[in-house]
Amino acid sequence: MYFSDSSSSSSSSGAGEERRAHRRVLSFQFRVPPHPMDMARLMELVPRYIEVVGRLRLSEKARAKSVKNRQKAEEQKLKDQAHEAQCIKKQDKRDAKAAALEAMTPKAREKQEEKDRKKALQKSNSKMKISKAH
């Protein structure tokens, strides 16, 4: 069993804003047990956990740590989303270039490929560091 007081769903932004309006939310997640009676026992535990969690108070230090960890997790999520968007953008650009290359005549395609090879060669040569012996 896992429960949390933060929403971890990846729904639309409107639903996320609604959830943030309600500060006191507990989310319970269960692995469905093979026997229905076991599930009934788990469901009986939910009100008990609500009472226990309702009585708990975090210290200022623990609360600050929790907020810091949540902010760090949110920042990482945003970084991952930005990286994924960047990768998709690069792939779209490659696909568009390949489609444009396919649409070209054979002669124009050869000319473009030669231009790309020269550009790649120039780029790889510029990365080499030339040192002179004294």
Side-chain angles (χ1 to χ4, degrees):
M1 176 193 319
Y2 170 79
F3 60 91
S4 172
D5 66 336
S6 63
S7 173
S8 63
S9 66
S10 58
S11 59
S12 66
S13 63
E17 290 172 7
E18 284 180 20
R19 288 180 187 223
R20 289 185 188 135
H22 303 288
R23 291 188 58 164
R24 297 186 180 250
V25 175
L26 279 178
S27 172
F28 289 85
Q29 297 176 2
F30 301 101
R31 284 195 183 154
V32 179
H35 302 294
M37 291 303 294
D38 293 337
M39 187 64 180
R41 289 186 199 137
L42 287 174
M43 293 306 291
E44 289 172 2
L45 287 175
V46 171
R48 292 181 186 168
Y49 278 120
I50 290 173
E51 288 178 21
V52 169
V53 171
R55 282 187 249 141
L56 291 177
R57 297 288 177 239
L58 289 177
S59 67
E60 289 299 318
K61 188 176 180 181
R63 186 182 310 265
K65 185 176 179 180
S66 174
V67 169
K68 181 181 171 186
N69 287 340
R70 287 181 184 171
Q71 287 174 346
K72 191 182 288 186
E74 185 67 27
E75 288 173 4
Q76 185 63 39
K77 182 180 174 184
L78 291 174
K79 282 182 183 179
D80 292 343
Q81 287 174 346
H83 179 70
E84 187 175 330
Q86 184 181 18
C87 289
I88 290 171
K89 188 176 177 181
K90 282 184 180 181
Q91 184 63 38
D92 289 345
K93 190 174 179 180
R94 277 186 240 134
D95 292 344
K97 189 173 181 177
L101 199 62
E102 288 293 319
M104 292 180 179
T105 62
K107 190 173 183 178
R109 188 177 309 138
E110 284 181 28
K111 187 175 180 181
Q112 183 64 37
E113 288 174 350
E114 184 61 32
K115 188 177 180 182
D116 291 342
R117 273 194 291 274
K118 284 183 180 179
K119 191 174 182 180
L121 184 64
Q122 187 179 26
K123 190 174 183 180
S124 68
N125 284 341
S126 67
K127 290 182 181 180
M128 286 188 210
K129 188 174 182 179
I130 299 173
S131 61
K132 295 181 180 180
H134 293 279

